[in-house]
Amino acid sequence: MSAEWAWLLAVIPACAFIVLALFGRSLPRQGDWLGVLTVTSILGLLIAIFTKTFGAKLPMLNAVEWTSIGDFSLSHGIAIDWITLIMLPVIIIVALMVNIFSIGYMRGEPRYSWYFAVLQLFVASMLLLVLADNLLLLYIAWELVGVCSFLLIGFYWEKRSAVEAAKKAFITTRVGDVGLLIGIILLWKATGTFNIHELISYVEHGELGGTTLFVSMLFIFLGAMGKSAQLPFHVWLPDAMEGPTPVSALIHAATMVVAGVYLVARLLPMFEAAGGMMLIITLVGLATAIYSGIVAFAQTDIKKVLAYSTVSQLGFMFVALGVGGIGAGMFHLFTHAFFKALLFLGAGSVILGTHHHQEMRNLGGLLRKMPITGITFAIGSLALMGLFPLAGFWSKETILSAVDYGPGSWAFILISIASIMTAFYTVRLFLRTFTGEPQDAAVAEKTHESSLIMTGPLIVLAIFSVFAGFFIFTDFSKAFGLPGGISELIYLHYPKHFSVHWDLVGYSMALVVIGTFFGVWFYWRGSTERSTKLAEWQPAIYHMIQRKFFFDELYQFVINRIILGISYVVSWFDRYVVNDTGVDGSGELTKYSGFVLKHLQTGKVPNYALAIVVGIIMLSLITLVLRG
């Protein structure tokens, strides 16, 4: 199967969406098997494409003319390079695990077939986004991803909280998307093309630069910030937990939230040429990583902790990209997808096994009742913390290495603090959920291990969480047919052969140990005595962290007092000045003038003669006055 057929990767799940949306209820098992079959088929297609791609010259391009008007022509097509080839298996493997897991998790839910239908459209949209060879097609897929997230987050539309979360995600990301659209239009105006590789060529040859490039890339970065939930657009992602838990795994692991990271990585040569943008990316990533780590300390909903963990890890990826470490950023995206999907699906297994309990204060001691879920969740947690030699360790080590040679010690110190935070809140989450005595005897009594259809994907993802990190090594990657390690395949200026820096290995492990020590100190065997005392010592600070530094309240205040206030003024001006005065007023004035003037038309000659005489007299008087 030639890489020219890669467009089928997006078309097949799109067709499955149409079939499930129209006929899903009539299919056996409401078509859940079709979702699994669809993603399995495109996984096989991807493997065939991989075998044809190895050794070929990249990028591989395949475009067709879409329209031509005068001198303007627009082509749409696909482009395959190593960034694409790293993204595709991540999306498809995680999507396959989510589809299989959903059969057990969503069984008996209303709109069961519709859920699987939208899931396929989500996968199709994300694959199209990754394969797109131009910014216009990418933007279309970008918006489709946003629509799918809206539908899935608001899947339980009977719940007001789910509806509000869906609207919040849609509106918040739209703010960034407007910036992305403006940036795309500015680049097209400056170059006359939407093609990504042509735009990069313009920049590399000095034909596009200066203020135009900086402003364009700043707007495009706003779009990436919105989709990847970077400060201050992060507020939508934790609320997205209102959707079904498998959706959280798909959104937070391999699809929507990494779209921004992918976009920045794809256009990184242009960001690097736009003076100052790399520093902005680094600062945004650092601020997001630190902020989200702090907020995760005080969350008690297991999905909310994982959500803020996702925001923080996305910050890590942006930091890597901001210092020019495109290989490090994409490698962390690669490993993070597997262990974060594992953790979210593990959370789903906990929720279903405990009959829909997800507050840590009601859990505890689950490892005895749910051993498979507990052990796989522990593997995912250790990978997230960055424990040697799991996947998260190697990707975080490459980020630390990139930052160490990047902007300076200040960034290295801040990213190190964020790493300690990651270990702390992850240990807190695991200990309070799976160890110690049950916090609620009624919940513990009803708790049971999930079925094989749900634990199977957990085991598969746990294996990836252990071994995915070794794809940084040349020999390991070549054993799977790749020409080299990830850092040799994805780079900005020259390929970098990965070598273990044992000083950074020791330093990275020390960060994990520090975070783990404090996590165990505060929450050993699920105890909350020490953490409660700390919270009571500074209740105002704890309350601020628990309320997420009042970002939601701040936004609500801005909406209620500023945006709605401005809207009221605009509405008043439109109603009374534009409409009543400008439009209706001019019409009424004309109508009234006509009413008055009609009395002059009496049809009697003496009246007209009198008017002529009066007019002559008035003109004579005016003439005499003017002549002095």
Side-chain angles (χ1 to χ4, degrees), residues 36 233 382 517 520 576 599 622:
V36 175
F233 301 112
L382 293 173
F517 171 78
V520 171
Y576 294 103
H599 294 291
I622 292 171

Side-chain angles (χ1 to χ4, degrees), residues 108 157 476:
W157 51 262
F476 185 88

Side-chain angles (χ1 to χ4, degrees), residues 81-88 130 262 265-266 326 330 490:
D81 60 8
W82 281 111
I83 295 180
T84 306
L85 291 174
I86 292 299
M87 288 290 297
L88 291 175
V130 170
Y262 166 80
R266 169 65 67 205
I326 185 173
M330 290 301 298
I490 302 176

Side-chain angles (χ1 to χ4, degrees), residues 161-208:
S161 57
V163 174
E164 294 297 328
K167 290 193 296 184
K168 187 176 185 177
F170 192 78
I171 293 171
T172 304
T173 54
R174 288 295 76 70
V175 175
D177 292 355
V178 171
L180 174 60
L181 181 60
I182 293 172
I184 292 173
I185 293 172
L186 289 175
L187 289 175
W188 175 80
K189 183 179 179 182
T191 62
T193 182
F194 294 107
N195 187 277
I196 294 172
H197 291 86
E198 290 180 7
L199 288 169
I200 293 174
S201 178
Y202 272 105
V203 171
E204 290 177 341
H205 289 87
E207 298 176 44
L208 175 63

Side-chain angles (χ1 to χ4, degrees), residues 386 393 396-397 400-401 404 409 411-420 501-514:
F393 167 80
K396 284 193 176 179
E397 200 274 342
L400 287 173
S401 178
D404 188 35
S409 58
F412 190 80
I413 293 171
L414 290 176
I415 203 70
S416 299
I417 294 172
S419 298
I420 295 173
H501 297 86
W502 290 107
D503 54 341
L504 278 179
V505 168
Y507 180 77
S508 179
M509 286 304 302
L511 299 178
V512 174
V513 170
I514 293 171

Side-chain angles (χ1 to χ4, degrees), residues 303-579:
K303 289 176 68 176
K304 287 287 181 71
V305 175
L306 293 175
Y308 278 103
S309 167
T310 299
V311 177
S312 180
Q313 297 307 303
L314 291 167
F316 275 75
M317 299 174 203
F318 275 108
V319 170
L321 295 175
V323 299
I326 185 173
M330 290 301 298
F331 184 40
H332 195 51
L333 183 156
F334 177 77
T335 61
H336 174 265
F338 298 118
F339 59 72
K340 187 52 64 68
L342 169 60
L343 290 172
F344 269 110
L345 294 184
S349 180
V350 167
I351 293 168
L352 204 63
T354 59
H355 296 272
H356 299 282
H357 288 278
Q358 58 194 71
E359 282 286 334
M360 288 188 282
R361 60 173 66 96
N362 297 325
L363 303 176
L366 297 184
L367 189 59
R368 294 187 292 272
K369 292 287 190 76
M370 308 180 71
I372 298 177
T373 300
I375 292 172
T376 54
F377 199 95
I379 293 172
S381 299
L382 293 173
L384 172 61
M385 293 162 57
L387 182 70
F388 179 87
L390 303 184
F393 167 80
W394 298 110
S395 57
K396 284 193 176 179
E397 200 274 342
T398 58
I399 292 176
L400 287 173
S401 178
V403 176
D404 188 35
Y405 291 100
S409 58
W410 59 272
F412 190 80
I413 293 171
L414 290 176
I415 203 70
S416 299
I417 294 172
S419 298
I420 295 173
M421 291 177 177
T422 302
F424 178 82
Y425 64 66
T426 306
V427 169
R428 171 180 178 265
L429 172 62
F430 182 81
L431 292 180
R432 291 196 62 182
T433 305
F434 289 97
T435 67
E437 296 300 321
Q439 300 297 308
D440 189 320
V443 173
E445 185 179 349
K446 295 185 293 184
T447 298
H448 59 84
E449 181 61 276
S450 299
S451 61
L452 180 62
I453 197 72
M454 295 173 65
T455 55
L458 299 183
I459 295 171
V460 173
L461 289 170
I463 294 172
F464 276 103
S465 299
V466 173
F467 295 106
F470 294 120
F471 279 98
I472 195 68
F473 294 103
T474 303
D475 293 338
F476 185 88
S477 298
K478 285 184 175 180
F480 285 86
L482 295 172
I486 286 181
S487 63
E488 299 171 82
L489 304 177
I490 302 176
Y491 53 88
L492 194 58
H493 299 295
Y494 54 88
K496 297 180 180 179
H497 179 79
F498 178 79
S499 59
V500 180
H501 297 86
W502 290 107
D503 54 341
L504 278 179
V505 168
Y507 180 77
S508 179
M509 286 304 302
L511 299 178
V512 174
V513 170
I514 293 171
T516 303
F517 171 78
F518 284 108
V520 171
W521 172 260
F522 280 105
Y523 299 103
W524 174 245
R525 295 186 61 81
S527 173
T528 58
E529 182 179 353
R530 289 192 175 99
S531 61
T532 301
K533 289 182 178 178
L534 180 62
E536 292 173 347
W537 176 57
Q538 290 292 341
I541 295 178
Y542 176 77
H543 180 67
M544 181 177 65
I545 296 173
Q546 190 178 44
R547 298 298 296 272
K548 311 153 198 172
F549 290 84
F550 303 107
F551 261 97
D552 288 329
E553 288 80 0
L554 174 62
Y555 283 165
Q556 197 63 54
F557 174 83
V558 171
I559 291 171
N560 291 344
R561 300 300 177 88
I562 299 177
I563 295 178
L564 291 181
I566 295 173
S567 300
Y568 175 80
V569 173
V570 172
S571 175
W572 181 91
F573 184 84
D574 178 69
R575 178 71 177 85
Y576 294 103
V577 177
V578 176
N579 189 67

Side-chain angles (χ1 to χ4, degrees), residues 278-300:
M278 299 293 276
L279 179 60
I280 292 174
I281 295 171
T282 304
L283 292 175
V284 169
L286 285 170
T288 303
I290 296 290
Y291 164 82
S292 302
I294 293 173
V295 174
F297 292 166
Q299 303 304 306
T300 57

